[in-house]
Every structure is written in C-alpha cells, then in structure tokens.
Amino acid sequence: MELVTKRVPAFIYPYSIVILDGDVRMNKNDLRKINNADNILILPGNKSPERLLASYLYNLSDVDPLWSKIADGYTKQFCFREYSMEQINAGGELGRQNAKKWFNSQLEYWGRNGCKVLNPFLSSISEEAQEFRTNFDNMIKQYIHD
C-alpha cells in the first residue's frame, strides 16, 4: 500500500494490479490513502484471508462432512490443535503471525492450492467472491484496452 501511495512506478496504473487483504477495510486511514488508486482491488471480507478461513472452519459443526473430505482423520480438533481461534484472532503482530503460522501448518492437508477448503469457503461467500471476480475482470479489460 505504501508503494502505491508513494507512487512507485511499478505499483501504479498501468504497470500493476495490487490486491489487498480485506482487513484493509477496517482502517479508514488506509482506505483514504488508496482511495484514488486505479489499480487496487480488495479481497472479500473484513479480515485477512487466513483469519477468514479460520473463522469459516471454526464455525463448522464438528460433524460437518467437509472435515472428512479434507483428509482422512482430519477434524476440527486437529485443525485447531496448535493454534486456538483466540490466538489466531489476537491483535497486533503476534495475532497476525499466529494466523499465518496456523494457515501454513494446515495447508498441506487441504489439497493442491488449498482447494479442499478454499472452494467450499468461496461457495459460502459466493456473492462477494463473484463481485471480486467481476471487479478483477473489469480491471483486466481496462489494462487490455489502454
């Protein structure tokens, strides 16, 4: 975000598209900084992707069929055995690092590119995901035509 606001050439239109985590929406100062940028998209939600996925999985029932689809023996308890939701959602840099460490520790169980979790999650936020895809497609068209 700083590179965009400081107008570093590689981070401004038409040289790049910058995609920011949804938690940027929670900081009005950050939103003001990027308000006039033509090349920024914000991911769905109001949290980092790691925290969105953690919340999605945490809110599933212990007996939801998704758990067994992820991997044999994979359970909600297994998923959150090393990091609790409190640790993942903690404030500041520690919480941010916990969320990233939790995500990276689970990714190996989630299939190629995390598809066994990402696809059901994206289906659960289908309207927001479709809006992001539409905005992305429109931005790509702008780059192609300019």
Side-chain angles (χ1 to χ4, degrees), residues 12-56:
I12 59 172
Y13 180 83
Y15 302 107
S16 65
I17 295 174
V18 177
I19 300 175
L20 301 173
D21 291 353
D23 56 357
V24 74
R25 288 186 180 91
M26 303 308 290
N27 188 322
K28 291 189 188 302
N29 289 332
D30 288 345
L31 286 175
R32 261 191 299 264
K33 285 181 187 177
I34 61 172
N35 193 32
N36 294 323
D38 296 331
N39 64 328
I40 291 183
L41 292 172
I42 302 175
L43 290 171
N46 291 325
K47 298 179 182 178
S48 68
E50 298 88 357
R51 288 176 172 156
L52 281 176
L53 288 169
S55 293
Y56 169 72

Side-chain angles (χ1 to χ4, degrees), residues 107 110-120:
L107 201 51
W110 294 353
R112 186 175 180 184
N113 297 320
C115 66
K116 292 180 182 180
V117 171
L118 287 172
N119 289 341

Side-chain angles (χ1 to χ4, degrees), residues 99-116:
K100 290 186 178 307
K101 289 176 185 174
W102 168 81
F103 176 84
N104 288 324
S105 74
Q106 297 304 303
L107 201 51
E108 69 180 280
Y109 305 104
W110 294 353
R112 186 175 180 184
N113 297 320
C115 66
K116 292 180 182 180

Side-chain angles (χ1 to χ4, degrees), residues 2 7 22 37-38 58 61 69 73 75 86 91 108 114-116 126 139 144:
E2 288 299 315
R7 309 224 16 102
D38 296 331
Y58 187 79
S61 161
K69 291 178 184 175
T75 64
E86 291 77 23
E108 69 180 280
C115 66
K116 292 180 182 180
S126 60
M139 189 171 282
I144 292 171

Side-chain angles (χ1 to χ4, degrees), residues 64-75:
D64 192 287
L66 180 61
W67 297 114
S68 61
K69 291 178 184 175
I70 293 172
D72 281 340
Y74 194 81
T75 64

